[in-house]
Amino acid sequence: MGSIADVPGIRVGHAENKEALTGCTVVLAGEGMVCGVDVRGSAPGTRETDLLAPVNAVEEVHAVVLSGGSAFGLQAATGAMDYLEEQGKGLETGYAHVPIVPSAILYDLSVGDASVRPDREMGYRACQAADVHVPVGNVGAGCGATVGKALGMDRAMKAGLGTASVRLPDGLIVGAIVAVNAYGHVVDPATGKILAGPRGEDGTILDSVQLMRRSGKEQNAFPGMNTTIGVVATNAKLSKTRATKVAQMAHDGLARTTFPAHTMLDGDTLFALAGGEIQASVDLVGALAANVVAEAIVQGVTSATGVKGLPAAGDL
């Protein structure tokens, strides 16, 4: 299956608090990579995404941070900036190197200890742990991730973080890493089987959309209490505009696996990093990005382990 770290220059680090069930994941982008972003959920929590618009000046970023902790977790990106500044990495302004570190968060305050959130120190530790070996499951931003909340948290299931990559004979590599924290349920697109979602009274995993149809009303949840976030990376040579297109196309992988996706209750956000010289069609890179995002989401669900009354797919 591979990992996002198969892309040259990419290293990934996690830090988490296993008792509080929250954490963050840092994707280090070598000496800097072109970056695009696409925010599809209606309740996002982000940092530096305006900077990534194709019309804006800065071309490269030095890391992307995925974090739990709701909006509090945006502090983790400051810790990544501290680490990168120490390494002498960042945008040279003439007076200082300023690391460019976009970030997105998910809501995990409903599990574990809501008073503990990823902070500056945790973001720094995640950078220190960065490696080409990428642990999955209840780690980093996936530590407190859950899915299937249509019947409330007591009927939800544990999810986590997954990664995947593909390598073509011409050397093109596309990888993804995703923290899966959706309001809806997650399906294996290869089989159509529901892997994790809201649980009925008998423990059966139910279809979130069918439950929404039966209720016939606005879902009883606070906006933003969910959110799937991730990063795609490639060694293709892409402009900022084309990296943004790849981020858009990568959301197809989320839509193939998560039902419903991009809701008013999710802040679904995907970044796309490009740092290489491989010549490749943006349509090919985007199509492969959608595939590896779907694979990473499936792994994020199947590699999770149950905690505190929230079973994981493997437990059922």
Side-chain angles (χ1 to χ4, degrees):
M1 178 175 279
S3 82
I4 191 173
D6 293 334
V7 176
I10 294 290
R11 292 185 297 134
V12 176
H14 303 308
E16 62 276 316
N17 184 315
K18 294 286 190 182
E19 290 70 38
L21 291 176
T22 193
C24 66
T25 296
V26 176
V27 180
L28 296 179
E31 297 303 313
M33 291 185 178
V34 172
C35 188
V37 68
D38 192 49
V39 180
R40 292 284 175 97
S42 293
T46 57
R47 166 176 166 156
E48 296 279 43
T49 50
D50 280 353
L51 174 148
L52 301 180
V55 297
N56 290 338
V58 174
E59 289 290 329
E60 294 185 338
V61 308
H62 304 93
V64 177
V65 175
L66 308 175
S67 181
S70 188
F72 297 108
L74 292 171
Q75 296 178 70
T78 303
M81 288 188 69
D82 292 341
Y83 175 87
L84 289 163
E85 184 183 26
E86 289 178 4
Q87 305 300 310
K89 295 181 180 179
L91 177 67
E92 177 52 65
T93 66
Y95 297 93
H97 285 88
V98 181
I100 307 300
V101 184
S103 178
I105 52 87
L106 56 80
Y107 188 98
D108 57 7
L109 303 181
S110 51
V111 297
D113 184 347
S115 69
V116 177
R117 306 104 181 206
D119 55 13
R120 189 171 189 159
E121 184 269 337
M122 188 180 283
Y124 187 93
R125 283 198 290 112
C127 291
Q128 289 180 308
D131 196 356
V132 294
H133 171 66
V134 185
V136 297
N138 295 22
V139 295
C143 186
T146 53
V147 296
K149 285 156 266 191
L151 294 174
M153 281 303 300
D154 60 337
R155 298 279 194 89
M157 289 181 65
K158 187 73 180 70
L161 179 139
T163 186
S165 71
V166 61
R167 184 191 301 263
L168 300 192
D170 66 356
L172 176 66
I173 305 170
V174 182
I177 189 166
V178 184
V180 188
N181 191 60
Y183 170 79
H185 64 274
V186 174
V187 168
D188 182 344
T191 64
K193 177 184 177 182
I194 298 179
L195 300 172
R199 293 172 292 129
E201 292 184 359
D202 62 354
T204 303
I205 305 176
L206 303 176
D207 184 310
S208 304
V209 178
Q210 290 297 328
L211 291 171
M212 292 168 70
R213 288 180 63 177
R214 290 173 199 164
S215 70
K217 59 184 179 181
E218 193 77 18
Q219 299 309 295
N220 185 25
F222 185 80
M225 293 181 68
N226 307 287
T227 300
T228 294
I229 51 178
V231 181
V232 171
T234 181
N235 63 344
K237 185 175 179 62
L238 299 177
S239 66
K240 195 175 175 185
T241 300
R242 295 196 167 199
T244 301
K245 184 62 180 176
V246 169
Q248 290 178 350
M249 294 178 71
H251 273 278
D252 291 350
L254 201 160
R256 291 173 196 163
T257 54
T258 308
F259 299 86
H262 310 130
T263 73
M264 297 297 292
L265 307 174
D266 293 274
D268 301 334
T269 300
L270 294 178
F271 299 90
L273 296 169
E277 296 299 324
I278 298 292
Q279 298 297 321
S281 156
V282 66
D283 292 330
L284 173 60
V285 176
L288 295 175
N291 289 346
V292 293
V293 164
E295 291 176 17
I297 288 173
V298 169
Q299 187 188 66
V301 168
T302 57
S303 63
T305 54
V307 295
K308 298 183 178 179
L310 293 170
D315 299 322
L316 302 181

